[in-house]
Amino acid sequence: MYIDGTNLVGYKIKKSKTTEEKKAYIDTLLMVYDQRIANFGNEGKVLGRKGTDMLKYMSDQPELVFNTLEKSVQLGEDKSEAGALASYMTAAVLMERAKKIDAAKVVEIFDQVSNIIATNITKYQGSKTQEYYIKSQESVDGTASPYLSCEILVEMANKNYEQNKSDAKWMEKTADLLDRKGCTDAPIFFTIAKELHSNNPS
């Protein structure tokens, strides 16, 4: 009832003749997701699908969309679906444009989402599911690309280095991101890499 219900209500939204009718069916769609969670659980996965539909129909309310998808990924972690991860990245960009979060948060979410996708690309090697995650990463890369120039990444690394230089996880993630985006000629990359090596030679 709930799995097919979202498709049925989605069809009614598509065929709506007035704004009021469409809004009523969107409310119904969200209710279907909420009822599915109430009766069958699996909250992380269902919130991911709910958030993706919210992004489609409610992009003018980015905070609601973002909060739903953020909770989905927090609950689902590495089990988050490919579509939900791509939607989460898009919602983050909408939030930054609305000045609800800063560019640093967008980059942080990009890194988080990319790590989850990479885990699943490896996990589902050679399967149809792997293709979904590969397409999701392509979407994520395209959505986040304006925030991933060396100029922005280096500026953020410089700005946040002092307060995070004792945080090994931040140091590793920042060095990895700078490396992946070809920003290794920046002095801050050398500073971080040198610090990492002195603490954990490899």
Side-chain angles (χ1 to χ4, degrees), residues 89-172:
M89 190 72 254
T90 301
V93 170
L94 290 178
M95 284 284 281
E96 193 279 331
R97 288 176 184 168
K99 303 194 184 308
K100 301 282 187 180
I101 61 174
D102 59 17
K105 182 67 175 176
V106 175
V107 174
E108 180 186 321
I109 290 169
F110 168 80
D111 191 51
Q112 176 192 14
V113 165
S114 295
N115 287 333
I116 294 172
I117 291 173
T119 297
N120 283 284
I121 286 174
T122 301
K123 179 180 177 181
Y124 293 105
Q125 189 75 37
S127 70
K128 186 70 176 176
T129 302
Q130 184 193 40
E131 292 178 23
Y132 295 143
Y133 282 102
I134 290 171
K135 287 179 181 176
S136 179
Q137 186 64 62
E138 290 172 357
S139 173
V140 166
D141 287 344
T143 302
S145 61
Y147 301 89
L148 302 176
S149 68
C150 283
E151 183 181 355
I152 290 175
L153 294 177
V154 168
E155 182 184 344
M156 285 174 48
N158 280 318
K159 180 181 175 183
N160 296 313
Y161 173 73
E162 281 301 323
Q163 66 190 60
N164 290 289
K165 63 183 179 181
S166 59
D167 183 346
K169 190 174 180 181
W170 180 88
M171 295 279 280
E172 287 170 8

Side-chain angles (χ1 to χ4, degrees), residues 3 15-16 22 41-42 47 65 70-71 107 110 128 130 135 163 195:
I3 294 171
K15 294 295 183 182
S16 295
K22 184 176 182 179
N42 206 1
L47 282 178
V65 179
E70 182 178 48
K71 186 175 181 182
V107 174
F110 168 80
K128 186 70 176 176
Q130 184 193 40
K135 287 179 181 176
Q163 66 190 60
E195 185 74 20

Side-chain angles (χ1 to χ4, degrees), residues 16-27:
S16 295
K17 291 184 171 70
T18 66
T19 302
E20 291 75 16
E21 185 182 10
K22 184 176 182 179
K23 185 177 183 303
Y25 278 123
I26 290 170
D27 288 343

Side-chain angles (χ1 to χ4, degrees), residues 153-198:
L153 294 177
V154 168
E155 182 184 344
M156 285 174 48
N158 280 318
K159 180 181 175 183
N160 296 313
Y161 173 73
E162 281 301 323
Q163 66 190 60
N164 290 289
K165 63 183 179 181
S166 59
D167 183 346
K169 190 174 180 181
W170 180 88
M171 295 279 280
E172 287 170 8
K173 283 169 62 178
T174 302
D176 181 58
L177 189 56
L178 290 169
D179 184 32
R180 278 190 285 142
K181 294 300 171 183
C183 310
T184 53
D185 58 343
I188 189 64
F189 175 79
F190 178 73
T191 300
I192 292 172
K194 187 178 177 182
E195 185 74 20
L196 283 171
H197 181 72
S198 67

